Amino acid sequence: VSAGLHVAVVGGGLAALRAAEGVVAHDATARVTVLGAERAAAYARPPLSKAVLAGATDGGELAVRRRPQHQDRITLRYDAPVAGADLARREVRLLAGGTLAWDALVVATGLRPRRLDVPGPSLGRHAVRTLPDVLELRAALARARRRVVVVGAGVLGCEIASTLAAGGHTVTVVDAGTTPMERALGPVAGERVLGLHREHGVQWCPRTTVAACTGKDAVDGVVLSGGAELPADVVVEAVGSTANTGWLDGSGLDLSDGVLADNHLLVGGRPDVAACGDVVRFPNPLFPGVLRRVEHWTMAGETARRAALSVLDRPPGRPATGRHGSPGAAPFCPLPYFWSEQHGLTLHGLGMTDDADDTLELERGPGGHVVYGHAKGGRLVAVTLFGLASRLPHYRELLLRALVPGRA
Amino acid sequence: VIEDVAVDPAGCIGAGQCALYAPEVFDVHDGVAHVLDATPGAHLHDAVLDAADACPVQAVLLRLRTPPT
């Protein structure tokens, strides 16, 4: 009797869970061990900076729904961080001691927030990645209206600023860029976001960084790069993320920003190691020349499904089938999609704005709702919708026609 | 096992993510999602769960029953 393939999935978020479920759904005998570093089962992260931070929920119902099928072949281990991997011996080493052998490995260790490297007290400084992070921040804000400095105007920083302004706090955003969400939106659509935040009383310090935090035991302010000082009871650091790849140091893999994979999400030229979720950097044929990680929530599930199929396709000692990963399989061409909610307005982004050189208004609706197209060399590469969500299916199709040669 | 699929009409914003992942079960017209099949077959359950994951406003409502193990 064959024992079946044993797949180790390192990580505990949505991508890890969906990869595990993908493996057992597509292979009748495979077993999976999921090694999650967090204490909790996979949960939805998008509400953390919105409903959870606002206090509308404590996060109890955020748990990701599990596929009921074949769960008997999935072993979920929480609070089980991994310290290292030996790809040659096909095993991972647990931080708590001991090793786990695998026939195939899926890397889904995700990200951790980058922190400011500045002098000053650490009490009063927060980052937002996990549910405990948010509950801690909420507790720090619970007693009174606070002066909050949000550092970083990416999607996360903008959502936090919106939620806290709505909660009655005095919010200032400090950002190195000129307009909010600069990388995702470019300057024209970014101006729209800036206007929205200003309408709701959020203060902006563009082209500015934080040089230091002030205060004796706890933060009481920040010193800006220009020398000005801002009082602050709480500082929220939303300055991007770092991929959790330290456990793969020395493995020979390209870890320059996450884990580099091929288009089938296979890693290091190996048929038995794949990566998925926020941590994987992979080429997408829809966007030639762009090679990067995509931190969108929906991409976690998309990449997880593909990674599961790719490691099943050609397990060691078995011939390649060419079904899913590896040569012969259809290329993996997911269309990136993200959404955000700020000051009651829902914002949707399709595609990738990397290197876009032009932004044009495609449609205008009532109440300041607007759709922008982002072009690169005259070709549509991304669409941003402020409101007008029901137009999303139309623009998805329009964008795919621009991106996929020969699409009718 | 998915016993029942519904869309929260007050929450739905018509983004169409559900119809993208499970076109057999959801359709978006007139700016809101409609359920085409409230009791989809087992072969569609993964797609319905993906649709629920991908909804930006958590408006896909599922009643799940865990089978006895």
Side-chain angles (χ1 to χ4, degrees):
Chain A
V1 178
S2 164
L5 205 66
H6 178 232
V7 181
V9 177
V10 182
L14 177 70
L17 182 65
R18 293 296 182 241
E21 292 172 342
V23 166
V24 295
H26 289 94
D27 186 300
T29 58
R31 293 170 302 114
V32 183
T33 305
V34 179
L35 299 168
E38 278 191 63
R39 214 163 279 226
Y43 53 89
R45 292 192 198 276
L48 292 182
S49 49
K50 309 178 195 84
V52 182
L53 183 56
T57 165
D58 287 329
E61 72 285 7
L62 297 185
V64 165
R65 282 173 281 231
R66 293 169 56 181
R67 291 356 185 202
Q69 299 91 350
H70 317 300
Q71 288 286 348
D72 55 314
R73 288 190 280 126
I74 298 177
T75 304
L76 294 171
R77 293 177 62 181
Y78 309 120
D79 207 4
V82 162
D86 187 329
L87 302 188
R89 296 170 58 125
R90 290 203 188 95
E91 58 185 33
V92 290
R93 199 172 67 251
L94 293 159
L95 192 63
T99 60
L100 182 76
W102 42 264
D103 302 304
L105 173 68
V106 177
V107 177
T109 32
L111 311 173
R112 63 183 181 280
R114 198 177 293 149
R115 301 303 302 259
L116 292 176
D117 182 19
V118 296
S122 56
L123 191 63
R125 292 171 51 183
H126 296 260
V128 169
R129 172 72 183 171
T130 65
L131 180 58
D133 288 344
V134 177
L135 296 179
E136 205 176 283
L137 173 57
R138 229 172 68 178
L141 294 165
R143 288 176 295 279
R145 291 186 176 182
R146 296 286 175 179
R147 294 165 301 180
V148 182
V149 170
V150 177
V151 188
V155 180
L156 182 67
C158 285
E159 289 183 349
I160 291 167
S162 157
T163 302
L164 296 184
H169 303 286
T170 303
V171 181
T172 304
V173 177
V174 176
D175 187 60
T178 304
T179 50
M181 297 169 65
E182 201 160 41
R183 188 172 98 157
L185 297 185
V188 176
E191 280 292 337
R192 176 74 185 85
V193 178
L194 185 53
L196 185 66
H197 280 272
R198 285 205 167 123
E199 280 164 36
H200 289 82
V202 175
Q203 303 292 311
W204 282 86
C205 299
R207 296 178 294 275
T208 304
T209 55
V210 168
C213 289
T214 56
K216 194 163 167 283
D217 302 313
V219 166
D220 65 13
V222 295
V223 181
L224 302 179
S225 46
E229 293 192 28
L230 267 181
D233 305 303
V234 168
V235 174
V236 183
E237 303 175 17
V239 288
S241 306
T242 305
N244 291 321
T245 55
W247 62 285
L248 289 167
D249 283 346
S251 63
L253 301 178
D254 183 334
L255 306 175
S256 48
D257 178 23
V259 180
L260 179 66
D262 66 15
N263 178 247
H264 303 294
L265 307 184
L266 292 169
V267 171
R270 300 178 59 118
D272 56 346
V273 182
C276 60
D278 292 338
V279 81
V280 65
R281 185 161 65 103
F282 67 99
N284 184 337
L286 294 182
F287 305 93
V290 179
L291 183 63
R292 70 165 171 90
R293 300 184 295 100
V294 181
E295 298 179 12
H296 305 338
W297 179 247
T298 54
M299 197 58 93
E302 303 250 357
T303 54
R305 280 188 285 282
R306 186 56 178 239
L309 292 173
S310 289
V311 293
L312 288 177
D313 187 47
R314 198 169 51 174
R318 298 189 199 176
T321 65
R323 275 178 309 157
H324 310 301
S326 71
F332 179 55
C333 303
L335 182 65
Y337 164 68
F338 78 94
W339 73 88
S340 178
E341 201 186 311
Q342 295 170 32
H343 305 293
L345 186 64
T346 308
L347 193 157
H348 305 264
L350 289 167
M352 283 206 223
T353 52
D354 299 61
D355 313 324
D357 49 36
D358 195 17
T359 300
L360 44 148
E361 191 180 303
L362 299 179
E363 183 176 340
R364 186 166 278 273
H369 290 193
V370 61
V371 180
Y372 294 105
H374 308 268
K376 178 181 178 179
R379 188 177 79 133
L380 190 67
V381 291
V383 177
T384 306
L385 298 91
F386 292 86
L388 295 169
S390 62
R391 298 287 285 151
L392 200 56
H394 166 77
Y395 284 108
R396 182 184 292 110
E397 188 56 35
L398 188 79
L399 183 56
L400 282 171
R401 279 183 199 169
L403 294 173
V404 182
R407 188 180 171 102
Chain B
V1 178
I2 296 170
E3 286 197 321
D4 185 57
V5 180
V7 169
D8 173 5
C12 178
I13 57 173
Q17 287 293 108
C18 54
L20 189 67
Y21 286 90
E24 303 89 344
V25 179
F26 302 96
D27 182 43
V28 176
H29 54 86
D30 304 327
V32 269
H34 300 264
V35 176
L36 301 174
D37 183 357
T39 54
H43 64 290
L44 294 171
H45 287 185
D46 276 4
V48 171
L49 287 162
D50 290 336
D53 282 352
C55 175
V57 289
Q58 287 93 48
V60 174
L61 308 176
L62 304 179
R63 200 165 71 226
L64 300 176
R65 181 170 54 82
T66 308
T69 46

